[in-house]
């Protein structure tokens, strides 16, 4: 089965860290590739920035590792969660250089290597997880991932939705006008900062690891993140309202570096199949987690869930802005995504 057909099957199924650390983690026991000695086991590192309670780890990375390890094709995957092997930008460089084998990254972070792929994180580009699946089953998605691979030498195994991003603040946010005067924390990537302007927000860049303290000290007034990230960061302790804007689908891509070309066909297929299963599992886990969390929020009284957000006003504002500022291949990707909306 060729690479394009394999990827399409997967999409349709979907409804530099310190050198010594990397050597110790990735280079101590590399084993052999698909053409190596019979019976030898090749160890692959899989890194990401999420904690072990989040769906990206327990339903994503762990599923990939378990499925590959059980396939008995001479591969063993060891997971390094919680940015143990470096932050996002460092890990992208490490995957490209081969110091990290597999990584889970947001689309906007990958835009540092190939800008058009970051458009997968554009505000209101996707309607929901099903829309992401439709786009990834299209020829246009192949164009994006193949161009990314040509630019970086990094192969895309799959992508999943880690949930929609929601606003939190100490005041309700129902319309774009409610963002006026609020210092809203956004990640520092160009696409996220573009999203802030598209939504009418005043963006303040704060590292994710420093977000809780920034909210507690009033450095920023609010922020935006998927529900599972909001829980992981205990933001209900420092914010009064969560506003269900669903203004961006949080898209993760599973990427693999140069080791991909060293693997045998059977090993590549095992890794592809494992990622396909993880794509489905993460999507289900996120939906289940979010439903349980929202029920707890609505009845717990620790903060107020704002349901009546005018998402049409936000999405229309975002589409008008993004259609005017995106150019070239980035605009083509955005238009292709929107064309697959129902």
């Amino acid at each position: 089965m060729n690479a394009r057909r394999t990827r399409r099957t997967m999409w349709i199924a979907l409804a530099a860290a310190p050198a010594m650390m990397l050597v110790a983690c990735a280079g101590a026991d590399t084993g052999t590739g698909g053409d190596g000695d019979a019976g030898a086991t090749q160890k692959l590192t899989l890194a990401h920035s999420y904690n072990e309670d989040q769906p990206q780890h327990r339903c994503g990375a762990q599923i990939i590792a378990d499925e590959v390890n059980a396939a008995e094709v001479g591969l063993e995957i060891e997971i390094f969660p919680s940015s143990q092997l470096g932050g996002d930008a460092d890990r992208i460089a490490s995957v490209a250089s081969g110091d990290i084998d597999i990584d889970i990254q947001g689309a906007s972070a990958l835009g540092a290597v190939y800008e058009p792929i970051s458009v997968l994180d554009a505000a209101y580009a996707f309607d929901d997880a099903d829309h992401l699946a439709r786009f990834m089953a299209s020829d246009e998605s192949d164009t994006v991932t193949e161009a990314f691979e040509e630019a970086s030498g990094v192969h895309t195994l799959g992508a999943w939705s880690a949930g929609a991003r929601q606003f939190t603040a100490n005041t309700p946010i129902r319309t774009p006008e409610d963002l006026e005067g609020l210092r809203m924390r956004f990640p520092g990537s160009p696409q996220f900062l573009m999203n802030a302007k598209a939504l009418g927000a005043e963006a303040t860049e704060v590292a994710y690891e420093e977000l809780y303290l920034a909210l507690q000290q009033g450095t920023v007034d609010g922020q935006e993140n998927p529900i599972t990230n909001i829980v992981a960061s205990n933001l209900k302790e420092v914010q009064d309202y969560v506003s269900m804007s669903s203004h961006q689908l949080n898209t993760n891509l599973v990427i693999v570096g140069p080791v991909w070309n060293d693997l045998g066909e059977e090993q590549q297929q095992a890794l592809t199949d494992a990622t396909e299963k993880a794509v489905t599992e993460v999507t289900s886990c996120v939906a289940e987690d979010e439903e349980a969390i929202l029920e707890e929020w609505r009845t717990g009284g620790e903060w107020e869930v704002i349901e009546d957000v005018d998402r049409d006003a936000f999405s229309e504002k975002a589409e008008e802005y993004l259609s005017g500022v995106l150019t070239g291949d980035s605009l083509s990707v955005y238009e292709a995504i929107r064309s697959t909306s129902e």
Side-chain angles (χ1 to χ4, degrees):
M1 183 179 294
N2 63 41
R4 174 175 292 208
R5 187 175 305 161
T6 299
R7 280 197 302 276
R8 176 144 312 121
T9 300
M10 178 173 62
W11 299 129
I12 292 173
L14 173 65
M20 291 302 293
M21 178 185 292
L22 291 175
V23 170
C25 295
D29 186 2
T30 56
T32 64
D35 298 324
D37 297 334
T41 297
Q42 180 173 3
K43 289 188 177 181
L44 303 181
T45 52
L46 191 166
H48 62 76
S49 59
Y50 304 98
N51 68 46
E52 295 182 52
D53 292 329
Q54 291 181 272
Q56 294 94 326
H57 176 85
R58 56 186 173 83
C59 302
Q62 194 61 60
I63 291 292
I64 293 172
D66 291 346
E67 290 294 308
V68 169
N69 295 348
E72 298 185 348
V73 291
L75 293 179
E76 179 182 342
I77 293 180
E78 186 174 6
I79 306 172
F80 295 87
S82 303
S83 300
Q84 291 179 26
L85 299 188
D88 287 346
D90 292 332
R91 295 201 318 274
I92 293 171
S94 295
V95 171
S97 68
D99 288 324
I100 294 174
D101 297 313
I102 306 168
D103 198 15
I104 299 171
Q105 285 278 357
S108 58
L110 299 180
V113 179
Y114 178 65
E115 183 177 351
I117 202 169
S118 67
V119 177
L120 274 66
D121 272 342
Y124 290 105
F126 292 109
D127 301 331
D128 49 31
D130 289 339
H131 184 189
L132 170 64
R134 287 195 300 276
F135 173 72
M136 297 311 292
S138 70
D139 290 339
E140 286 82 0
S141 73
D142 288 339
T143 300
V144 177
T145 56
E146 289 168 7
F148 169 67
E149 185 167 358
E150 182 177 352
S152 64
V154 175
H155 180 73
T156 301
L157 289 166
W160 58 59
S161 165
R165 299 177 78 91
Q166 317 293 349
F167 288 125
T168 71
N170 289 325
T171 183
I173 298 171
R174 293 184 171 90
T175 69
E177 289 72 26
D178 292 332
L179 289 171
E180 293 178 5
L182 295 181
R183 295 163 298 176
M184 298 296 292
R185 179 269 177 180
F186 278 77
S189 74
Q191 185 60 60
F192 275 97
L193 297 178
M194 187 182 298
N195 288 348
K197 292 181 179 179
L199 296 166
E202 177 185 340
T204 300
E205 297 180 40
V206 176
Y208 181 71
E209 295 77 11
E210 301 170 3
L211 177 56
Y212 183 97
L213 186 61
L215 290 166
Q216 186 180 53
Q217 295 181 342
T219 305
V220 293
D221 300 311
Q223 63 86 53
E224 50 84 58
N225 254 301
I227 288 172
T228 55
N229 286 15
I230 292 171
V231 170
S233 300
N234 293 317
L235 297 189
K236 65 184 179 182
E237 297 178 354
V238 290
Q239 299 271 264
D240 294 332
Y241 299 92
V242 55
S243 298
M244 302 299 292
S245 52
S246 299
H247 56 269
Q248 177 197 329
L249 201 66
N250 209 55
T251 303
N252 291 153
L253 290 93
V254 184
I255 58 175
V256 56
V259 70
W260 174 255
N261 296 317
D262 297 331
L263 300 179
E265 183 176 349
E266 187 178 36
Q267 293 173 320
Q268 289 182 342
Q269 190 62 53
L271 190 53
T272 299
D273 291 345
T275 304
E276 177 180 348
K277 182 172 182 178
V279 166
T280 303
E281 291 291 332
V282 170
T283 303
S284 298
C285 281
V286 167
E288 292 170 4
D289 283 9
E290 289 188 343
E291 183 177 356
I293 291 166
L294 282 170
E295 181 61 27
E296 180 180 341
W297 284 353
R298 291 179 181 121
T299 59
E302 293 172 291
W303 60 357
E304 186 174 346
V305 179
I306 305 301
E307 309 274 9
D308 59 336
V309 177
D310 190 347
R311 285 189 285 270
D312 287 342
F314 275 112
S315 64
E316 289 168 8
K317 184 179 182 69
E319 185 164 11
E320 180 181 0
Y321 180 85
L322 293 170
S323 296
V325 299
L326 292 172
T327 60
D329 290 341
S330 294
L331 179 59
S332 296
V333 172
Y334 179 74
E335 291 175 342
I337 292 172
R338 294 308 304 152
S339 72
T340 55
S341 174
E342 289 186 341

